Amino acid sequence: MSVAPETMQGPELELSIVVPIFNEEGNIERLHRELTAALTELGRDYEVIAINDGSQDRSYESLNAVQARDDRWHIIHFRRNFGQTAAMAAGFDAARGEVVVTIDADLQNDPRDIGKILKKFAEGYDIVSGWRQNRKESLFLRRIPSMIANWLISRSTGIKLHDYGCTLKAYHFDVVKGVRLYGELHRFIPALASQMGVRVAEVPVVDRARRWGSSKYGFSRTFKVILDLIVVVFVLSYFGRPLYVFGAAGFLVGGIGTLLGAYLTIFKLLTENKIGDRPLLQLAALLMVLGVQFISTGIVADMIMRTYHESQRKPIYFIRERRRSEAVEAVAELERV
Ligand code: UDP
Ligand code: MG
């Protein structure tokens, strides 16, 4: 797996569980019980990071009560509701585990499936995604939109998963530290991380009905997901140099315009016919202007990308492993502090 950039610290324990929580007071005690049982059985050294995403019910009290009894739990209370993606991003920032597992608080995923996911992970994958079997949600509002979304995302990103929407997923430490999230992007992590060169696998997991409370999303999520998909595809395909995309379009369109213009010029010179009233002339002028527009848009986009990379110190490469002498390593370590 890619080693994190030099400035980043490595994992400190085996496993982090990240749970976003928005108005789930009735699920928290049970979540604690089921997670503890499943994780104790696995015998791993773990932490649970629960992010209270501005809940308006008693999730605050309930989470603090759990934390008071169990110091493996780490609670982050947001000031207001920032959304599931933001909650997961906060969990990723805080995570210290070599493997980071995300799970919903409503127990639609069964914590006992974590063992299955980790087993697959140990075969050498960087992301292992749950694939919900026998889904319990409504066919028209949920399952069909989700099938279409999975097909579209798989096709357009090249990372073929049956169930992008399943929150139960495991990521390598470097993956969660390497992707920046916003919007509804959490479901695209496998696609975004494909840029890093990750190995991705899927395991079937059970889907249960929500234990308590109701879903936080309606049908409108579908549109957000589609818009995010467009961004993801663009980011994945043209991230490095947008100028190449816009430039190619510019050359093509501008080239056609120039050829048309040349044809009209020669035509006029040879035949002495008027060309001022020909629609083709307008088309030629339009295409030439468009070509210039495309290229200049590309240059601007390229400059934006440059600022983006430089301001966020985004790496343009990802290293799987590094080997060097201990002496050199010690010096690098000193420079870091
Ligand atoms: N969630 C959150 N912030 C939000 C909406 C949801 O933290 O603004 C959490 C929610 O508490 C749950 C998970 O994200 O743990 C998934 O939400 P939900 O179960 O409502 O989604 P669904 O399973 O219906 O897709
Ligand atoms: Mg749910």
Side-chain angles (χ1 to χ4, degrees):
M1 179 61 220
S2 61
V3 166
E6 300 272 318
T7 47
M8 221 179 255
Q9 294 209 314
E12 292 163 32
L13 42 80
E14 283 178 281
L15 183 61
S16 296
I17 311 287
V18 169
V19 202
I21 292 177
F22 180 52
N23 295 344
E24 306 279 8
E25 60 176 4
N27 290 321
I28 290 167
E29 281 297 332
R30 189 177 190 130
L31 176 73
H32 177 246
R33 237 180 3 253
E34 289 197 18
L35 270 178
T36 310
L39 295 169
T40 312
E41 197 170 322
L42 290 178
R44 300 274 187 120
D45 178 20
Y46 72 90
E47 65 178 353
V48 174
I49 304 173
I51 303 89
N52 173 12
D53 184 15
S55 300
Q56 284 128 16
D57 62 358
R58 297 188 60 79
S59 297
Y60 178 87
E61 287 79 4
S62 196
L63 282 168
N64 289 350
V66 166
Q67 202 282 325
R69 296 200 307 272
D70 187 343
D71 61 10
R72 287 166 302 197
W73 279 55
H74 169 185
I75 318 288
I76 299 172
H77 294 291
F78 276 1
R79 285 184 180 274
R80 66 169 173 85
N81 179 247
F82 287 99
Q84 189 182 348
T85 299
M88 289 171 66
F92 291 165
D93 288 342
R96 295 176 302 142
E98 160 124 46
V99 185
V100 180
V101 171
T102 53
I103 191 167
D104 281 352
D106 54 14
L107 293 165
Q108 277 180 277
N109 302 125
D110 185 341
R112 279 173 299 189
D113 278 330
I114 294 176
K116 234 165 137 187
I117 298 238
L118 292 179
K119 207 163 149 214
K120 191 81 192 169
F121 201 93
E123 288 173 19
Y125 292 99
D126 304 307
I127 298 180
V128 176
S129 172
W131 172 14
R132 290 167 290 179
Q133 310 289 312
N134 303 318
R135 283 181 63 182
K136 302 289 180 296
E137 296 160 321
S138 105
L139 183 65
F140 286 103
L141 286 179
R142 279 300 172 81
R143 275 146 57 197
I144 290 182
S146 140
M147 266 163 61
I148 299 173
N150 285 316
W151 181 81
L152 268 178
I153 302 171
S154 295
R155 281 233 27 174
S156 40
T157 63
I159 299 285
K160 296 195 170 44
L161 286 185
H162 291 91
D163 196 359
Y164 268 90
C166 177
T167 312
L168 183 57
K169 287 187 165 63
Y171 307 95
H172 190 279
F173 180 84
D174 292 339
V175 172
V176 304
K177 300 295 178 186
V179 293
R180 289 279 123 221
L181 301 174
Y182 50 87
E184 285 285 309
L185 281 187
H186 66 266
R187 69 187 54 242
F188 294 104
I189 298 172
L192 288 171
S194 69
Q195 214 182 14
M196 299 167 70
V198 292
R199 288 159 293 200
V200 184
E202 260 181 330
V203 262
V205 297
V206 300
D207 188 42
R208 310 189 292 189
R210 199 176 224 287
R211 285 290 148 156
W212 175 95
S214 55
S215 173
K216 312 296 180 279
Y217 299 102
F219 188 67
S220 67
R221 173 166 67 184
T222 313
F223 298 104
K224 293 190 189 155
V225 169
I226 291 172
L227 291 173
D228 276 339
L229 174 64
I230 297 174
V231 174
V232 168
V233 170
F234 191 80
V235 164
L236 285 182
S237 340
Y238 314 120
F239 205 49
R241 303 299 305 273
L243 178 58
Y244 293 161
V245 189
F246 286 104
F251 276 126
L252 182 73
V253 172
I256 295 174
T258 312
L259 286 180
L260 290 178
Y263 160 74
L264 288 174
T265 313
I266 294 169
F267 180 78
K268 177 173 166 70
L269 291 179
L270 292 186
T271 65
E272 308 212 332
N273 277 328
K274 285 211 173 96
I275 57 167
D277 56 351
R278 294 192 56 172
L280 204 57
L281 183 65
Q282 291 177 20
L283 183 65
L286 181 71
L287 290 182
M288 283 192 265
V289 174
L290 260 184
V292 174
Q293 285 290 322
F294 267 131
I295 293 173
S296 37
T297 308
I299 293 172
V300 173
D302 228 58
M303 278 157 60
I304 294 174
M305 278 336 295
R306 186 170 298 270
T307 330
Y308 172 78
H309 277 283
E310 280 171 14
S311 64
Q312 300 201 6
R313 303 197 57 208
K314 276 272 191 185
I316 58 168
Y317 60 86
F318 299 93
I319 302 166
R320 186 180 310 282
E321 197 188 339
R322 190 196 291 279
R323 282 172 199 245
R324 58 184 175 187
S325 80
E326 276 173 21
V328 178
E329 198 67 67
V331 173
E333 185 65 42
L334 276 179
E335 278 170 358
R336 223 173 293 164
V337 275

